[in-house]
Amino acid sequence: MPVPTQELKLEIVNAATGKTLGARAAPGADGALVVRDFPDGGPSPEQWHLTPAQAAQDDHAYVIRNAVSGKVLDNPAATDRGVRQWDAAAGKKGQQWHVIPVEGEAGLYFIEGATDGAVLDLADPGADETRVVLRAYDDSAESQRWRFVPAEPERTSDPVLRWAPLSHWNSRRSWRLARTAALRPAPDATPSFSDMLLVLERFGSDQDAGGWKCDKTIRTPGGQPGWWAGLGERFLADTTGAGRADIVGLKPAKGAVTASSQGDGTFKDDERVLHPHAPSSSPKDLWTLADTTGDGRPDVVMLCADGVRVSLQDEGGTFAPAGGEPVLKAFGHGQQAGGWLADKHPRFLADTTGDGRLDIVGCHDDGVWISLQDEEGKFAPLADEPVLRAFGHDEKAGGWLADKHPRFLADTTGDGRLDVVGCHDDGVWVSLQDEDGTFAEPLYILDDFGVDQGWSSVEEHPRFLVRTTDGGAVDIVGFGPQGVVVARGRGDGTFEPSKLVLNDFGLAQRWTGKKHPRFLADVTGDGNPDIVGFGDEGVWVSHNRGDGRFDQAQLVCRGFGYNEDAGAWRVDHHPRFLADITGDGRVDIVGFGGPGVYVARNLFRRFRTR
């Protein structure tokens, strides 16, 4: 676990005994600290804050402060080397500590005194209420290893706003906001959503709604342009450039079909063919919609057996017919196009050079390959060699696995060019792109977010590269074993040490990839990404404060959740997305359930719940 921020309350547990740091059952005047059991029904274990030492010459020194009494861990330099909790004294070196990760053991730390390098240990590991003392570092002593356990998350469960259905003479339906004590107009409204409403009886998993199915191996993460969906998938995309997300589904018989957003949180009750299948289409083909030319209109991009096919959208909203030659005989699943496989070789559409046009990037067995798009909209043939012999599936290119090692394209330096960032077993690696388009050899820059630190898989621990502050550098945000972890970008291709910023949305709080999708999305419209999680009870949002920190999670919608009373939504049957379907600049919640499409409107800045 990375070092927690000062706001989190922590129990400090000894790795050898499993007992918690605190005062004796009958504490004395000397403030001596011991490790002891806290049985069920007894007093709660003591909790601590890690606070950066003020005015310390050592940037990595912390004061370990009791969350209730305010007293701090203190080294009195006594002959028995006993550690106590005592009144804080500004700048006192004996109250400053280093928190040092144990190499190769995720979540374990040495707690080292800043004065002489001695570390916290137990006077007698086998005794009851044994004292905590300072001893010389011993790599083989398990009693010198400590674990930080965050307290239970503090959540807010406000009443949610309710909609009342209205029926009309022409059989149409509408909804009005029902009178409720939770309703209060306020300019500083907290994130809130409407009830979950069934708005379209199509695109559902029930037979009456189309019998749509999910294929987890090629599901579209978040429905973002540049990601890929296979036949039978549903996602949301702005098909016209109007600023509203429409429903897109990939039907084996018809191709891409769409139900257009009507701008009021509903969709047209039809399935218009957006783009038909090519004659040579295959179930292995992958699709997406993205503006490849920078003209403001999304195009259809397909990864087919023979390569990449692009159908441009004209000014009238019509897509070029399928067929003809691929724009690039590469990146496809057929051997003639390189044999790219969905479960081994990630591919991206991204503007790698900053010229406003999307290029195609892929990580194959032997490394990273790129096809640049020129001013005429043509994609360059692949070179004889990859641009970077790293981040690939084979051992010679790093042994990167799609289900364990996420890879990203992001501008980590602010020069407008995308770099390659990846989370491997040992942590984070970065390859910077220079002005000539050349990628440097990867550098190991951060010992977190990797398998060795407990991030077991892409599904279990989603990770993102986003700006968490307005105008700041790109940061790494991940849902780790203990909660939400952030490593702030320095703007030079490196990142600050990671910190646990929120004790929620992690495995320790019973969030799992098989049950609970988690995203980063701007819920409030302030330009900063918030945390959104589809939990057991419904949808939880943790608001971004704008400085890289997040508020405690708030329940904003009692739907789209795993529990029966929240709709019994399942990851492998019911895709859920965050997308702006009204054009107001704030994301709404859209889910594909059994009977059809459900929507919860974003009501932020209109109403507040309390």
Side-chain angles (χ1 to χ4, degrees):
M1 186 181 78
V3 174
T5 60
Q6 63 196 67
E7 295 182 344
L8 295 187
K9 297 176 182 178
L10 308 159
E11 297 171 19
I12 303 177
V13 179
N14 186 264
T17 64
K19 296 181 179 180
T20 306
L21 175 72
R24 295 185 186 277
D30 61 353
L33 290 170
V34 300
V35 292
R36 53 179 287 218
D37 287 320
F38 288 85
D40 294 340
S44 299
E46 287 175 83
Q47 297 176 349
W48 307 84
H49 291 298
L50 289 186
T51 306
Q54 298 296 321
Q57 295 180 349
D58 186 349
D59 292 338
H60 301 293
Y62 290 88
V63 173
I64 302 178
R65 189 183 307 275
N66 191 296
V68 175
S69 68
K71 294 183 181 294
V72 301
L73 256 64
D74 181 270
N75 172 18
T79 55
D80 65 355
R81 302 293 279 157
V83 177
R84 63 181 181 175
Q85 56 179 327
W86 208 249
D87 294 331
K92 183 179 178 182
K93 201 72 170 173
Q95 295 180 350
Q96 296 175 12
W97 307 87
H98 298 149
V99 178
I100 304 171
V102 178
E103 187 175 354
E105 297 189 50
L108 295 182
Y109 294 86
F110 299 108
I111 301 176
E112 177 188 82
T115 54
D116 57 5
V119 298
L120 291 195
D121 200 347
L122 303 183
D124 183 0
D128 292 336
E129 295 198 7
T130 184
R131 287 201 67 180
V132 176
V133 298
L134 282 165
R135 285 199 176 126
Y137 166 77
D138 180 358
D139 185 48
S140 63
E142 189 178 5
S143 57
Q144 293 184 357
R145 295 171 179 158
W146 303 83
R147 189 184 311 277
F148 296 106
V149 180
E152 285 295 313
E154 299 172 3
R155 292 174 168 178
T156 303
S157 180
D158 281 350
V160 294
L161 303 178
R162 313 295 295 184
W163 288 103
L166 295 175
S167 298
H168 301 277
W169 63 271
N170 58 0
S171 300
R172 290 187 60 84
R173 292 179 299 170
S174 63
W175 296 268
R176 62 176 174 81
L177 199 59
R179 296 181 62 86
T180 167
L183 188 61
R184 178 176 61 168
D188 59 341
T190 54
S192 55
F193 289 78
S194 71
D195 277 356
M196 183 179 72
L197 302 174
L198 179 64
V199 299
L200 184 63
E201 294 180 1
R202 296 177 183 267
F203 297 97
S205 56
D206 294 350
Q207 288 302 313
D208 292 344
W212 293 76
K213 300 184 183 301
C214 290
D215 187 338
K216 287 186 62 177
T217 61
I218 50 177
R219 276 193 60 195
T220 311
Q224 298 298 323
W227 293 88
W228 309 97
L231 289 180
E233 281 296 312
R234 295 146 290 170
F235 57 97
L236 291 157
D238 180 1
T239 63
T240 63
R244 300 193 303 265
D246 309 308
I247 296 170
V248 179
L250 302 178
K251 277 196 167 182
K254 292 185 177 180
V257 299
T258 184
S260 301
S261 169
Q262 301 191 99
D264 60 355
T266 64
F267 299 90
K268 291 183 178 179
D269 189 11
D270 61 11
E271 292 181 5
R272 178 172 59 88
V273 175
L274 188 70
H275 187 275
H277 277 308
S280 58
S281 62
S282 162
K284 295 181 180 180
D285 293 350
L286 300 179
W287 299 56
T288 194
L289 271 78
D291 179 9
T292 62
T293 62
D295 63 2
R297 295 187 296 271
D299 311 304
V300 173
V301 183
M302 294 167 285
L303 302 179
C304 303
D306 54 358
V308 181
R309 293 179 176 271
V310 177
S311 294
L312 300 177
Q313 184 178 177
D314 62 24
E315 295 181 358
T318 302
F319 291 86
E325 290 293 313
V327 299
L328 184 64
K329 294 181 179 180
F331 298 108
H333 54 83
Q335 290 303 312
Q336 69 272 32
W340 293 73
L341 304 178
D343 58 352
K344 290 175 65 175
H345 307 130
R347 284 151 285 177
F348 309 89
L349 284 173
D351 178 8
T352 63
T353 62
D355 63 0
R357 291 180 174 271
L358 295 185
D359 310 306
I360 305 175
V361 183
C363 300
H364 206 282
D365 292 336
D366 50 358
V368 180
W369 296 80
I370 295 181
S371 171
L372 299 178
Q373 185 182 180
D374 63 22
E375 294 180 357
E376 297 179 355
K378 296 180 180 179
F379 290 91
L382 295 188
D384 294 334
E385 299 287 335
V387 299
L388 185 62
R389 288 195 176 275
F391 300 101
H393 183 82
D394 286 349
E395 287 299 323
K396 291 183 178 180
W400 293 74
L401 305 178
D403 59 344
K404 287 188 175 182
H405 307 134
R407 283 151 281 181
F408 309 91
L409 298 174
D411 180 8
T412 64
T413 62
D415 64 358
R417 291 179 172 273
L418 299 186
D419 311 303
V420 183
V421 183
C423 303
H424 208 281
D425 289 342
D426 50 359
V428 180
W429 293 78
V430 171
S431 173
L432 300 180
Q433 182 184 182
D434 63 21
E435 294 180 357
D436 298 327
T438 302
F439 288 85
E441 283 298 310
L443 294 175
Y444 179 65
I445 59 168
L446 192 63
D447 56 348
D448 201 0
F449 300 102
V451 175
D452 292 347
Q453 294 88 31
W455 303 71
S456 58
S457 69
V458 171
E459 178 187 51
E460 197 63 68
H461 302 296
R463 280 146 278 183
F464 303 86
L465 261 70
V466 295
R467 286 180 173 85
T468 62
T469 58
D470 187 21
V474 171
D475 309 314
I476 304 174
V477 182
F479 298 95
Q482 296 293 334
V484 180
V485 178
V486 174
R488 298 288 299 276
R490 293 190 173 113
D492 61 357
T494 65
F495 297 85
E496 295 177 3
S498 58
K499 289 189 176 181
L500 179 68
V501 300
L502 187 66
N503 59 329
D504 208 345
F505 298 104
L507 196 61
Q509 295 85 29
R510 295 178 292 280
W511 290 76
T512 71
K514 296 184 183 300
K515 292 183 178 181
H516 309 125
R518 287 152 287 176
F519 303 101
L520 291 175
D522 181 9
V523 169
T524 60
D526 62 359
N528 295 318
D530 308 296
I531 297 170
V532 184
F534 293 84
D536 291 332
E537 309 89 345
V539 183
W540 295 85
V541 168
S542 178
H543 180 241
N544 187 333
R545 298 183 184 178
D547 58 0
R549 297 179 298 164
F550 295 87
D551 288 331
Q552 293 293 332
Q554 179 183 22
L555 185 64
V556 299
C557 180
R558 296 184 185 276
F560 302 102
Y562 187 85
N563 289 347
E564 290 293 329
D565 56 1
W569 292 71
R570 299 294 182 261
V571 167
D572 55 351
H573 285 85
H574 310 128
R576 284 153 282 180
F577 301 95
L578 298 164
D580 179 9
I581 62 174
T582 62
D584 65 358
R586 293 180 290 275
V587 295
D588 309 290
I589 304 171
V590 182
F592 296 92
V597 182
Y598 290 84
V599 167
R601 289 278 305 278
N602 189 334
L603 302 177
F604 180 69
R605 287 186 181 165
R606 293 181 57 195
F607 301 99
R608 179 176 182 172
T609 56
R610 65 172 180 180

